[in-house]
Amino acid sequence: MKRHIAGLTVLLLTIVSSLCLAQTDQPPIKEDFKPNSTNQPGREFPQVNSEGRVRASISAPEATKVQLDISAVKYDLVKDENGVWTGESGPQDEGFHYYQLWIDGAAVPDPGSLYFFGAMRWGSGIEIPATDQDFYALKNVPHGQMRQIFFPSESTNTSRRAFVYTPPDYDKDLTKRYPVLYLQHGWGENEYGWPEQGKTMFIMDNLIAEGKAKPFIIVMTYGMTNEIKFGGLRNFDITPFQTVLVDELIPYIDATFRTLTDQPNRAMAGLSMGGFETKLITLKNLDTFSHIGLFSGGSISADDVNNTPGFKEKVKLVFVSFGSRELENRRGGWGGDPKENAAALKEAGVNSHFYVSPNTAHEWQSWRRSLHEFAPLVFRD
Amino acid sequence: MKRHIAGLTVLLLTIVSSLCLAQTDQPPIKEDFKPNSTNQPGREFPQVNSEGRVRASISAPEATKVQLDISAVKYDLVKDENGVWTGESGPQDEGFHYYQLWIDGAAVPDPGSLYFFGAMRWGSGIEIPATDQDFYALKNVPHGQMRQIFFPSESTNTSRRAFVYTPPDYDKDLTKRYPVLYLQHGWGENEYGWPEQGKTMFIMDNLIAEGKAKPFIIVMTYGMTNEIKFGGLRNFDITPFQTVLVDELIPYIDATFRTLTDQPNRAMAGLSMGGFETKLITLKNLDTFSHIGLFSGGSISADDVNNTPGFKEKVKLVFVSFGSRELENRRGGWGGDPKENAAALKEAGVNSHFYVSPNTAHEWQSWRRSLHEFAPLVFRD
């Protein structure tokens, strides 16, 4: 018994000392925090340091517990003598992340940040500066326009919002007509996703200025993704959105903008559930769409090609992409390995491209990069 | 002494009973609350009832005090057995109001509402249904577009954002050119004010559909109002913004859009500090602007006219407006009574209009109505 207790004591001491060692060994947090690019005007917090840690800070003098909640982990903030709570997250992947604060059990947006729609809510977002952030930076180049429009929808008995990106030269040469890409957000998001956190306008303005992409129009509307019931993706009915997109939005766009209205000049792409929608709609409407992009949203297999009459003649591009962490964490599903599917399509003579975004997960940095890779490939003769 | 105590008791009883009576006399809050039009998708709260009361509700199980803060009054919320706090404000004026929640001393946006920029922050807004809300409703009429653009600004060494409203027929007849109104927000706001809480697009679409306003372009950019120091309005220097507006934005708009570029076809208007800016800029640039609108932002006096060479020949419209509560609460200032100033201008032969928004204060309902009154008067031959 005595030996047992002694052994237990040694074990406990070992644990305690290793905990202390662990704490001593942990390198200190780098004190090079800077106010974030997505902060509200004039706000000092949130901040991000060179390790990709987020430092949040909020005045809550009477609170007993305040936490920063990012990438599914909650980090405790610590109160100072003025009632201001401050604390840091662990290092985050580069790119954009949604986050929130918890104040005594209430989940609220951080009053220091700008707000974005994702995870089914308007809430805080943060931008971990990325090594390649230059491609979506606001630069002194000719700019296109991001237009908010409302189009009539008989099937849903309302006017529906869409955003339309027109390229820089659209208002210069009034005789020129342009190809159109229909670009979809994911589940829990809406039509603001691509224009805001997706940085669509800056990505396209920069690519066009560098001569790397043909000027084309991009149309973004709500994909009717968020009314889905629990476990309902399997039973998801694409028909209502397909009606809005193909029968209502496309005719409106072709009547309102100077578009090229033939099948070779119309593309559809989407991220996550928007990729799922893209696959469902394009394969059923190959007289309407010629270019297909799936960003973190499944892939197209040789079986899909074989089961879709006219695929090889009508489809001019299949682009499939993922964040590298999605492929690392993959546990089956998706109807076959997407990289192998892409290779099989190429083998079968389809213009098939596969792209992996390095060191990113199922998040916006993967999708910004996907658009940046996709845009130069689309509408090429 | 006994009489004294008896008297005190009677007095106390009187006070207590009158307090009870007061409580009994108070009519119960009307239980016809409905989720608000500015709620986030699918959110049940905040709600508004037919008295104009706002009911807020938030889950905060560990909080000890939660308040709704609207129109400079804080209302206590009450916690239920599930940790959800709920409570109501007093009746509010019809129209749009900024508000926030306090959770144990932290001022945060309500996670149930959409967010708007005002009072120097992106935060919650609520819409008390107005008797005249039809004029800014989304209707099944031809819609214009609200375009986000970035224009180069040498003086501030960056690309600056603006929103440009183009009328419904702008993309139909590509030979037609349009007059332009430059429209400014107030202090603590930014270029999102008029497109979002101002409802500019719906107001114009509806007026044009009814044939009540000529189609024209509206340009909204940040008025550089918010860097002002405490007590600094008196020392406010209009030069930096005047340079951006007159020397940079106007030439860009005239080069990019199909505008009528002569003085008779260019107007400027603004609300509150944006009205102050409008007066400063237009009176110095009467070869650039012909139509002037000041919404809750001062007025133009006969002295102003006399001290501005060419005013009578060059100015085609002076429109001045206020919310009725602003005039009720007025305690001098503004360089003379605005209604008397308007009358004096009319007397002097100026096309002068004065408008009072009924039962509204220094808030957006006054300014929506002001735009709705101003737009039919501007650019008339």
Side-chain angles (χ1 to χ4, degrees):
Chain A
M1 176 71 183
K2 218 176 178 180
R3 253 177 55 197
H4 190 65
I5 288 177
L8 201 67
T9 308
V10 169
L11 181 68
L12 278 172
L13 279 174
T14 311
I15 291 173
V16 168
S17 67
S18 68
L19 278 174
C20 291
L21 271 175
Q23 219 160 23
T24 317
D25 281 359
Q26 208 159 31
I29 290 174
K30 278 201 187 162
E31 277 304 329
D32 55 359
F33 285 91
K34 288 182 191 143
N36 199 238
S37 60
T38 58
N39 282 14
Q40 295 199 18
R43 300 301 166 99
E44 280 299 302
F45 290 93
Q47 303 188 339
V48 176
N49 76 355
S50 59
E51 302 168 286
R53 291 182 198 270
V54 178
R55 175 172 281 169
S57 184
I58 186 169
S59 171
E62 287 115 51
T64 54
K65 191 178 187 184
V66 179
Q67 291 178 306
L68 162 63
D69 178 354
I70 185 166
S71 303
V73 180
K74 291 178 187 170
Y75 300 89
D76 287 333
L77 274 54
V78 177
K79 189 180 180 175
D80 72 9
E81 66 274 19
N82 300 316
V84 176
W85 296 73
T86 305
E88 301 81 22
S89 75
Q92 304 293 311
D93 282 344
E94 55 184 11
F96 177 89
H97 310 285
Y98 302 113
Y99 78 99
Q100 62 185 354
L101 300 180
W102 289 85
I103 302 175
D104 285 349
V108 293
D110 182 346
S113 91
L114 295 178
Y115 304 126
F116 305 86
F117 193 75
M120 293 287 274
R121 61 167 181 249
W122 286 94
S124 293
I126 193 123
E127 192 71 60
I128 310 298
T131 44
D132 56 351
Q133 61 184 344
D134 190 62
F135 80 80
Y136 51 86
L138 170 59
K139 294 182 194 173
N140 189 15
V141 297
H143 293 294
Q145 300 177 356
M146 186 60 78
R147 309 182 182 194
Q148 187 176 162
I149 67 162
F150 286 84
F151 64 97
S153 164
E154 257 191 42
S155 71
T156 60
N157 197 28
T158 186
S159 291
R160 304 184 70 84
R161 188 192 344 254
F163 290 100
V164 179
Y165 168 80
T166 53
D169 55 355
Y170 186 87
D171 285 297
K172 301 283 179 199
D173 178 357
L174 299 185
T175 62
K176 196 174 168 189
R177 303 184 77 88
Y178 297 83
V180 187
L181 163 65
Y182 291 82
L183 184 60
Q184 294 307 126
H185 60 84
W187 178 87
E189 299 176 330
N190 66 13
E191 67 274 22
Y192 287 85
W194 277 110
E196 297 294 334
Q197 53 268 49
K199 304 272 186 186
T200 296
M201 183 158 159
F202 300 150
I203 291 172
M204 293 306 301
D205 287 349
N206 293 339
L207 279 173
I208 292 167
E210 292 166 20
K212 290 183 181 164
K214 270 178 76 165
F216 56 86
I217 292 169
I218 303 180
V219 180
M220 296 145 278
T221 197
Y222 174 53
M224 300 164 74
T225 48
N226 300 346
E227 286 75 31
I228 201 168
K229 298 286 176 287
F230 179 72
L233 192 58
R234 197 174 287 270
N235 304 317
F236 179 70
D237 179 10
I238 193 66
T239 319
F241 177 56
Q242 182 178 263
T243 301
V244 166
L245 181 73
V246 177
D247 301 338
E248 297 172 343
L249 179 55
I250 289 178
Y252 182 85
I253 293 294
D254 285 340
T256 308
F257 292 85
R258 301 194 317 279
T259 60
L260 292 163
T261 61
D262 52 342
Q263 185 261 9
N265 286 296
R266 200 178 294 109
M268 185 172 180
L271 72 90
S272 191
M273 188 171 169
F276 179 69
E277 294 185 317
T278 297
K279 181 175 171 180
L280 287 175
I281 290 176
T282 54
L283 293 198
K284 280 188 202 157
N285 294 275
L286 286 186
D287 290 331
T288 303
F289 300 97
S290 51
H291 296 68
I292 303 171
L294 313 181
F295 310 162
S296 305
S299 65
I300 291 178
S301 68
D303 279 357
D304 291 326
V305 173
N306 295 331
N307 294 335
T308 309
F311 187 101
K312 283 194 194 171
E313 298 74 42
K314 292 175 181 170
V315 175
K316 301 303 172 203
L317 172 69
V318 174
F319 176 96
V320 170
S321 67
F322 285 92
S324 66
R325 301 209 196 291
E326 296 184 270
L327 298 174
E328 290 158 19
N329 301 329
R330 205 187 145 220
R331 291 186 188 80
W334 296 346
D337 180 272
K339 192 176 177 181
E340 287 169 17
N341 280 346
L345 258 60
K346 198 161 205 164
E347 193 71 20
V350 176
N351 180 20
S352 165
H353 288 257
F354 187 69
Y355 168 72
V356 179
S357 163
N359 304 318
T360 60
H362 197 73
E363 292 199 271
W364 274 100
Q365 193 68 5
S366 301
W367 306 323
R368 291 169 178 168
R369 288 175 179 163
S370 295
L371 176 60
H372 183 246
E373 297 292 321
F374 177 72
L377 300 172
V378 81
F379 306 127
R380 292 293 176 182
D381 310 313
Chain B
M1 176 77 181
K2 218 172 174 181
R3 253 179 55 199
H4 190 67
I5 289 177
L8 201 68
T9 308
V10 168
L11 181 69
L12 278 171
L13 280 174
T14 311
I15 291 172
V16 168
S17 69
S18 68
L19 280 171
C20 291
L21 269 175
Q23 218 160 26
T24 316
D25 280 358
Q26 207 159 32
I29 289 175
K30 277 198 186 163
E31 276 305 330
D32 55 358
F33 285 90
K34 287 182 192 144
N36 198 239
S37 60
T38 58
N39 282 14
Q40 294 199 18
R43 301 299 167 98
E44 279 299 303
F45 290 93
Q47 302 189 339
V48 175
N49 78 353
S50 59
E51 302 168 286
R53 291 181 199 269
V54 178
R55 174 171 280 169
S57 184
I58 185 167
S59 171
E62 287 115 50
T64 53
K65 189 177 187 183
V66 179
Q67 292 177 306
L68 162 63
D69 178 355
I70 184 167
S71 304
V73 180
K74 291 178 185 170
Y75 301 90
D76 286 334
L77 273 55
V78 177
K79 190 178 179 176
D80 73 9
E81 66 274 14
N82 300 315
V84 176
W85 296 74
T86 305
E88 301 81 22
S89 75
Q92 304 292 311
D93 282 343
E94 56 184 11
F96 177 90
H97 310 284
Y98 301 114
Y99 78 101
Q100 63 185 353
L101 301 179
W102 289 85
I103 301 175
D104 285 348
V108 294
D110 182 346
S113 90
L114 296 178
Y115 304 126
F116 304 85
F117 193 76
M120 293 286 275
R121 64 171 177 246
W122 286 94
S124 293
I126 193 122
E127 193 72 61
I128 311 299
T131 45
D132 56 350
Q133 62 184 343
D134 190 62
F135 80 80
Y136 51 88
L138 170 60
K139 295 183 191 172
N140 189 16
V141 297
H143 293 293
Q145 299 176 358
M146 186 60 77
R147 308 182 181 193
Q148 186 176 162
I149 67 163
F150 286 85
F151 65 97
S153 164
E154 259 192 42
S155 71
T156 59
N157 197 28
T158 186
S159 292
R160 304 184 70 86
R161 188 193 342 256
F163 290 100
V164 179
Y165 168 80
T166 54
D169 55 354
Y170 186 88
D171 286 297
K172 300 283 179 200
D173 178 357
L174 298 185
T175 62
K176 197 174 167 188
R177 304 184 77 88
Y178 297 82
V180 187
L181 163 65
Y182 291 82
L183 185 59
Q184 294 306 127
H185 59 83
W187 178 87
E189 299 177 330
N190 66 12
E191 67 273 22
Y192 287 85
W194 277 109
E196 297 296 333
Q197 53 268 49
K199 305 271 187 189
T200 296
M201 182 157 159
F202 300 150
I203 291 172
M204 293 306 302
D205 288 350
N206 293 339
L207 279 174
I208 293 167
E210 294 165 20
K212 290 184 181 165
K214 272 179 73 166
F216 56 86
I217 292 168
I218 303 181
V219 180
M220 296 145 278
T221 197
Y222 174 53
M224 301 164 74
T225 47
N226 300 346
E227 286 76 30
I228 201 167
K229 298 288 175 285
F230 178 73
L233 192 59
R234 196 173 286 270
N235 304 316
F236 179 70
D237 179 12
I238 193 66
T239 318
F241 178 55
Q242 183 178 261
T243 300
V244 166
L245 181 74
V246 177
D247 301 338
E248 297 173 342
L249 180 55
I250 289 177
Y252 183 86
I253 293 294
D254 285 340
T256 307
F257 292 85
R258 300 196 317 279
T259 59
L260 293 164
T261 61
D262 52 342
Q263 185 262 9
N265 286 297
R266 199 177 295 109
M268 184 172 181
L271 72 89
S272 191
M273 190 172 166
F276 178 68
E277 293 185 318
T278 297
K279 182 176 170 180
L280 286 177
I281 290 177
T282 53
L283 294 199
K284 280 188 203 156
N285 294 275
L286 286 187
D287 290 331
T288 303
F289 300 98
S290 52
H291 296 68
I292 303 171
L294 313 182
F295 309 162
S296 306
S299 66
I300 290 178
S301 67
D303 279 354
D304 290 325
V305 173
N306 295 332
N307 295 334
T308 309
F311 187 101
K312 283 193 192 173
E313 299 72 41
K314 292 175 179 171
V315 175
K316 302 301 173 202
L317 172 70
V318 174
F319 176 95
V320 170
S321 67
F322 285 91
S324 66
R325 301 208 197 290
E326 296 184 271
L327 298 174
E328 291 158 19
N329 300 329
R330 203 187 148 221
R331 290 187 190 82
W334 295 347
D337 181 274
K339 193 176 177 183
E340 287 170 16
N341 280 346
L345 258 60
K346 198 162 205 161
E347 192 73 19
V350 176
N351 181 20
S352 164
H353 287 257
F354 187 70
Y355 169 71
V356 179
S357 163
N359 303 319
T360 60
H362 198 73
E363 291 200 272
W364 274 100
Q365 193 68 7
S366 301
W367 307 323
R368 292 169 177 166
R369 288 174 179 164
S370 294
L371 176 60
H372 183 246
E373 297 292 320
F374 176 73
L377 300 172
V378 82
F379 306 126
R380 292 293 176 181
D381 311 312

